[in-house]
Amino acid sequence: MIKVPTVCPICGKQTHVAVVKCDNCGTTINNKFGYSALERLDEKQTEFVLAFIECEGSIKDMEKRFDISYPTVKARLADIKKRLGLSEGKSYRMGVIEELEKGEIDVDAALKLIKNKEK
């Protein structure tokens, strides 16, 4: 079975599924369906994520499994985070937490910053 493309091969913009059809009875449902976050990953990235789950998050086990170094495991995870749209939000929150730890802002200000960013 072919994976549904999440990006248009012509313009590079995001796609959506428009028709779902039952193999058994032929019922067709037309709508604008989205994708799960993991469907944004290519085949190699999906394999890496599944292996990471199997290894229960152990980077040492991932190093052995793929015969790669610690920095390579971290780099691949960073690429996957970026592809899933997780990098910016996480690093932004970490920056706010660091400001909070340094006493540069108070808890209320930190919460406001994070909530406003997530809107």
Side-chain angles (χ1 to χ4, degrees):
M1 186 173 285
I2 297 173
K3 186 175 177 181
V4 177
T6 59
V7 176
C8 175
I10 306 302
C11 71
K13 298 291 183 182
Q14 186 175 344
T15 64
H16 70 272
V17 175
V19 179
V20 176
K21 185 175 181 179
C22 174
D23 289 337
N24 182 51
C25 71
T27 298
T28 336
I29 304 167
N30 294 301
N31 207 328
K32 183 176 182 179
F33 302 101
Y35 303 103
S36 75
L38 295 178
E39 288 176 300
R40 295 181 197 147
L41 303 178
D42 65 30
E43 203 170 305
K44 287 184 98 172
Q45 290 171 322
T46 301
E47 175 188 355
F48 197 80
V49 167
L50 293 175
F52 192 69
I53 292 167
E54 283 180 356
C55 292
E56 298 180 356
S58 168
I59 292 180
K60 284 188 183 233
D61 289 348
M62 293 294 285
E63 289 176 284
K64 291 175 192 167
R65 184 174 189 152
F66 290 95
D67 193 27
I68 56 178
S69 67
Y70 178 90
T72 302
V73 174
K74 294 293 282 182
R76 287 190 187 177
L77 289 172
D79 288 343
I80 290 168
K81 280 176 56 176
K82 185 176 181 180
R83 185 83 172 255
L84 294 174
L86 301 175
S87 293
E88 182 183 342
K90 180 76 171 175
S91 62
Y92 179 80
R93 286 190 297 271
M94 290 307 295
V96 171
I97 290 169
E98 286 174 9
E99 288 181 46
L100 181 61
E101 287 174 339
K102 292 176 186 174
E104 296 172 358
I105 58 174
D106 63 13
V107 173
D108 290 332
L111 290 171
K112 188 180 284 186
L113 286 168
I114 291 170
K115 285 180 183 176
N116 288 338
K117 178 71 174 179
E118 293 176 353
K119 285 184 181 179

